[in-house]
Amino acid sequence: MPNGMQRTRWLIYGFAAFFISLFGYIYYTYESTRSEIMANVDAKLLNAAISVKHILGDDYHTRVNAGQTISPELYKDKSRALSDYAKQMQVAYVYAMVLRDDTVFFSASSYTQKDHNSGRVTHFLDAYPEATDINKEAFFSTEPVFEISQESLGQL
């Protein structure tokens, strides 16, 4: 084999190895960064969820689960507190839900300024028809449950 052909072949192998290594490095970096970002998001959401319980107080859901009603004033105060907290945490919403007869209801919810201005705030025990099976199963889990979801376009 001529010497020039052998050099060309080695050059091609070298470039192929370089590109395979480059794409492997890019993929590894992407996956590592993505995993770190998702872990941070999960931690932030978990902290927000735990904080909701403290904002509402220990007796809030005891009363809701006992069938006692929550006054509109108390609900409004809790919604305002949750809204302030969501804004500070830089998350869109924080809320609490209850499951009754296989239907999920909001027991407390924050709102955005846009929601408030347009009068589209959640009220006590408003149904959440978009609840998925994963969402419903979370009520029976002793571990945190994370679900990736989006608001439907009709609600934006």
Side-chain angles (χ1 to χ4, degrees), residues 113-151:
Q113 188 61 47
K114 183 178 177 182
D115 294 335
H116 187 265
N117 293 344
S118 67
R120 289 185 33 180
V121 295
T122 304
H123 296 91
F124 182 66
L125 295 184
D126 275 352
Y128 180 57
E130 293 87 7
T132 63
D133 289 338
I134 293 172
N135 182 252
K136 291 176 184 179
E137 289 169 11
F139 286 94
F140 304 102
S141 176
T142 57
E143 297 294 319
V145 175
F146 296 95
E147 178 182 26
I148 298 173
S149 62
Q150 293 180 328
E151 262 188 53

Side-chain angles (χ1 to χ4, degrees), residues 1-155:
M1 181 182 304
N3 204 12
M5 288 282 285
Q6 192 173 14
R7 284 188 177 155
T8 303
R9 185 172 286 161
W10 278 109
L11 190 60
I12 291 171
Y13 289 148
F15 275 118
F18 170 75
F19 283 117
I20 289 170
S21 298
L22 178 64
F23 288 123
Y25 175 75
I26 290 170
Y27 177 77
Y28 171 77
T29 302
Y30 169 79
E31 284 299 318
S32 297
T33 303
R34 182 184 176 282
S35 293
E36 186 177 326
I37 290 169
M38 291 305 292
N40 288 336
V41 168
D42 287 350
K44 185 176 189 176
L45 292 175
L46 184 58
N47 287 334
I50 290 169
S51 297
V52 168
K53 179 181 177 184
H54 295 290
I55 292 169
L56 295 178
D58 290 335
D59 66 325
Y60 187 86
H61 275 101
T62 302
R63 292 174 55 195
V64 172
N65 290 328
Q68 297 174 8
T69 188
I70 299 296
S71 71
E73 296 79 22
L74 178 59
Y75 184 84
K76 188 176 179 180
D77 288 344
K78 297 297 184 180
S79 292
R80 188 177 314 113
L82 291 173
S83 300
D84 291 343
Y85 179 71
K87 188 175 180 180
Q88 289 173 356
M89 288 292 293
Q90 297 179 339
V91 296
Y93 297 97
V94 291
Y95 47 84
M97 298 174 159
V98 293
L99 178 67
R100 293 185 177 165
D101 300 323
D102 203 41
T103 302
V104 177
F105 298 92
F106 285 102
S107 55
S109 181
S110 66
Y111 52 82
T112 64
Q113 188 61 47
K114 183 178 177 182
D115 294 335
H116 187 265
N117 293 344
S118 67
R120 289 185 33 180
V121 295
T122 304
H123 296 91
F124 182 66
L125 295 184
D126 275 352
Y128 180 57
E130 293 87 7
T132 63
D133 289 338
I134 293 172
N135 182 252
K136 291 176 184 179
E137 289 169 11
F139 286 94
F140 304 102
S141 176
T142 57
E143 297 294 319
V145 175
F146 296 95
E147 178 182 26
I148 298 173
S149 62
Q150 293 180 328
E151 262 188 53
S152 65
L153 292 176
Q155 293 184 2

